[in-house]
Amino acid sequence: MSELNVKLITDLTATELAEKIREGELSSVEVVEAHIKRIEEVNGKINALVVPLFDEARAQAKEADRVLAEGGEIGLLHGVPITIKEQFDVAGTETNVGVPNNRGIVAERDGPLVSRLRRAGAIILGKTNVMMTLAGWESDNPVYGRTNNPWDLDRTPGGSSGGESAIISAHGSPMGLGGDFGGSVRLPAHLCGIHGLKPTSHRLTNT
């Protein structure tokens, strides 16, 4: 895939990608590959995506294209790649929130919000970095290291959802799932120049 095609695809919003996949203008495979390529270009500098799930994402993209071609039922995010903050359980991955003593604890199943996103057709590219224990205004921890702001590598993307904001701002992901107790979505979105949405308290679970 050429650099031009990658840029054209990764400049699109999640809404635009979903529409173009539904209409057959882009395949999910093309969209997922473009975002993986972009992540591979930028992640060495910003260290935002810390648990890559590229093989799984590629397989799911092929399946998404098959379902669409056969006229199967699809969701609002069918075939669209997304990223997930490390605090949320994704089956088969660790959820250690940057704490070394939590290493080796692997989620047996997806958390409820991840399950809902999958049911909507989203494809998970991987999990993104956090502030250790989710308590702080940067995204740095002894397990995954420090995430840098893509606009200025000497600066922080904020926290604790800084990995999400950094990878979205760098166009490695069109949207992602974060968590916000006291500004953990709002501050990183502000520092990285993107939009964050914090639903009314208790409408969605942080499990």
Side-chain angles (χ1 to χ4, degrees):
M1 181 176 291
S2 71
E3 289 186 13
L4 176 61
N5 286 339
V6 168
K7 179 170 173 48
L8 289 173
I9 292 172
T10 59
D11 279 352
L12 297 172
T13 67
T15 303
E16 291 168 334
L17 289 169
E19 181 179 354
K20 288 183 179 296
I21 290 170
R22 280 196 305 272
E23 298 300 319
E25 295 178 41
L26 289 171
S27 69
S28 179
V29 167
E30 289 175 308
V31 172
V32 165
E33 286 293 345
H35 284 87
I36 290 174
K37 185 172 178 61
R38 180 59 181 164
I39 291 169
E40 290 174 341
E41 289 174 355
V42 301
N43 203 55
K45 296 179 180 179
I46 61 175
N47 189 39
L49 192 92
V50 292
V51 182
L53 297 171
F54 297 160
D55 289 344
E56 296 91 334
R58 288 179 169 119
Q60 291 163 23
K62 289 179 182 178
E63 177 64 11
D65 287 339
R66 184 194 66 78
V67 169
L68 185 63
E70 294 179 359
E73 184 176 347
I74 64 171
L76 290 174
L77 293 172
H78 185 82
V80 176
I82 66 168
T83 42
I84 304 291
K85 185 180 179 182
E86 203 271 357
Q87 80 175 76
F88 295 102
D89 283 348
V90 174
T93 71
E94 287 189 16
T95 305
N96 59 54
V97 294
V99 178
N101 286 349
N102 291 342
R103 292 301 307 267
I105 301 174
V106 176
E108 295 182 0
R109 60 185 64 84
D110 290 334
L113 298 183
V114 173
S115 294
R116 292 183 197 180
L117 287 163
R118 287 199 201 270
R119 286 199 298 271
I123 294 173
I124 298 171
L125 293 169
K127 298 175 73 172
T128 54
N129 206 16
V130 297
M131 182 61 191
M132 185 169 66
T133 71
L134 313 178
W137 301 121
E138 55 186 330
S139 293
D140 190 4
N141 61 74
V143 177
Y144 301 118
R146 166 181 156 170
T147 296
N148 301 315
N149 193 312
W151 295 98
D152 184 341
L153 299 179
D154 291 328
R155 298 181 183 270
T156 180
S160 62
S161 303
E164 275 303 312
S165 285
I167 202 63
I168 292 169
S169 181
H171 294 221
S173 172
M175 66 175 284
L177 175 64
D180 188 315
F181 297 117
S184 290
V185 163
R186 291 164 285 171
L187 180 71
H190 173 68
L191 294 185
C192 291
I194 64 171
H195 291 286
L197 174 64
K198 182 180 186 295
T200 302
S201 293
H202 306 300
R203 287 201 63 187
L204 298 174
T205 177
N206 268 313
T207 302

